[in-house]
């Protein structure tokens, strides 16, 4: 059974892939609007982890709609959730894709689909959506990441990743400058996966 | 890292154990009020699956309180959830137990702890609670069970299991007879795990 895991290069999506690996044939999928080349880094990380990887192009209009949302809202939550939903829908429209997974944890708030959004996607598009970390709290996830992955961490602007936020930030930077980004996105710590840890 | 998986002999708790097996040292734990010997069957199943197993005695007063609840409510949901919460608390009070897991699925309604109940237990008792199937829908769980486990299925009264329901049913049978059980418990299909499937 093949599963497509939405992969940003971060620790949550990488750990999700590791947890599924014994039971599914895992491929990693990184989304792109074509605005930044960050998917290349995700491809490199996927190779380090030993998983097949591909880039999924998302329609530019999804990014424009997310841009409208964040500019209206003044905060990123609904814009990021919107991109996440559209990313899953885009992936689900591939007839070869039957299982889609991501790195959503128990305590996550963004990006998180509601149970009705999930059921709607599953019913409309005939896929099964899996969140392997949904039953794990932050502390247990950290324990597993510490055990199985080498990562680097830092403020979101300094860590190269391929999550939904990065291209939305870039669009806002191009149109409004760096100050606007600081205004809209709360500062937070991001992680980027380097490789698996050798188990002793 | 050792994790204690609450184990009824059913497919959900068995699949949870299988999903954790590559990453944790799994022990299976079956709860008992001492009213029925069904834990022996769970012990046998655990042995078939190749996991260490132990029986956890629960205080009789928990069963009496659950009995009060179901007699007042006229349906089993809150009584079963109450036993589940107390079972996790009892297990969590063992100082050697750090991780507790169970077979709760995404679409489950009973037994399910609320997120505030979970956080309260984690904070008060210093354990981490894991639901490996929480991010899996019914269909995906069935697909994985079909692939990895041999099971038998049937109406709840005919399938020997060691879930929380079985001793509560027995107490009601002893005090009120079989008719009362039919009145209080909706008929549903239960499963009992026989062994792992040999993978071809």
């Amino acid at each position: 059974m093949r599963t497509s895991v939405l992969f940003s290069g971060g620790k949550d999506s990488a750990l999700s892939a590791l947890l599924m690996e014994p039971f599914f044939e895992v491929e990693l999928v990184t989304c792109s609007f074509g605005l930044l080349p960050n998917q290349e880094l995700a491809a490199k990380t996927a190779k380090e982890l030993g998983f097949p990887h591909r880039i999924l192009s998302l329609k530019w209009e999804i990014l424009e709609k997310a841009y409208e949302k964040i500019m209206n809202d003044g905060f990123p939550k609904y814009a990021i959730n919107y991109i996440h939903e559209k990313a899953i829908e885009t992936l689900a429209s591939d007839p070869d894709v039957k299982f889609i997974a991501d790195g959503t944890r128990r305590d996550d708030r963004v990006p998180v689909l509601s149970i009705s959004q999930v059921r709607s996607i599953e019913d409309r598009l005939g896929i099964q959506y899996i969140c392997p970390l949904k039953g794990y709290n932050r502390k247990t996830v950290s324990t597993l990441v510490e055990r199985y992955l080498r990562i680097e961490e830092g403020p979101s602007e300094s860590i190269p990743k391929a999550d939904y936020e990065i291209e939305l930030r870039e669009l806002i930077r191009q149109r409004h400058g760096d100050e606007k980004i600081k205004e809209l996105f709360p500062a937070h710590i991001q992680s980027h996966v380097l490789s698996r840890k050798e188990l002793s």
Side-chain angles (χ1 to χ4, degrees), chain A:
Chain A
M1 296 185 296
R2 195 184 68 168
T3 187
S4 304
V5 181
L6 287 165
F7 181 65
S8 65
K11 58 189 180 183
D12 293 341
S13 49
L15 183 62
S16 274
L18 260 57
L19 290 187
M20 300 188 87
E21 187 178 23
F23 309 97
F24 291 84
E25 187 189 331
V26 171
E27 70 156 1
L28 303 182
V29 178
T30 303
C31 295
S32 169
F33 294 105
L35 192 59
L36 281 172
N38 284 48
Q39 307 77 27
E40 290 166 24
L41 184 72
K44 188 167 166 288
T45 307
K47 198 175 173 189
E48 277 290 335
L49 294 173
F51 291 114
H53 178 262
R54 65 184 167 109
I55 291 166
L56 179 71
S57 293
L58 298 183
K59 285 189 182 154
W60 184 260
E61 66 199 48
I62 297 170
L63 186 61
E64 286 290 356
K65 186 94 178 271
Y67 169 80
E68 268 174 47
K69 277 182 197 289
I70 191 171
M71 296 306 284
N72 279 332
D73 295 342
F75 55 87
K77 177 177 171 180
Y78 296 113
I80 300 289
N81 274 347
Y82 174 76
I83 299 176
H84 187 50
E85 186 190 356
K86 292 298 164 189
I88 292 174
E89 282 187 2
T90 306
L91 187 53
S93 68
D94 179 339
D96 289 338
V97 169
K98 300 292 176 216
F99 296 94
I100 296 175
D102 65 29
T104 308
R105 291 180 284 118
R106 183 183 89 187
D107 304 319
D108 273 344
R109 290 174 182 273
V110 181
V112 172
L113 300 187
S114 70
I115 187 70
S116 52
Q117 283 176 314
V118 168
R119 289 193 179 129
S120 164
I121 290 173
E122 288 181 336
D123 292 347
R124 275 186 293 124
L125 300 167
I127 59 101
Q128 292 172 61
Y129 173 60
I130 304 171
C131 303
L133 302 184
K134 190 71 179 179
Y136 290 77
N137 72 12
R138 181 187 301 268
K139 200 171 160 188
T140 311
V141 169
S142 296
T143 304
L144 289 168
V145 165
E146 165 70 24
R147 191 174 169 86
Y148 293 104
L149 292 169
R150 283 178 56 237
I151 61 170
E152 58 174 358
E153 286 188 305
S156 22
E157 65 274 18
S158 75
I159 293 290
K161 264 182 79 174
D163 61 6
Y164 307 126
E165 193 178 307
I166 204 90
E167 287 181 296
L168 185 56
R169 288 170 81 105
E170 175 60 17
L171 188 66
I172 293 165
R173 197 194 61 75
Q174 291 182 6
R175 292 181 181 174
H176 305 275
D178 283 330
E179 278 310 304
K180 193 73 186 169
I181 295 178
K182 284 181 192 157
E183 193 187 310
L184 291 171
F185 291 91
H188 60 287
I189 299 296
Q190 286 277 15
S191 69
H192 168 67
V193 170
L194 300 170
S195 64
R196 294 186 195 235
K197 263 189 187 164
E198 296 300 319
L199 292 182
S200 53

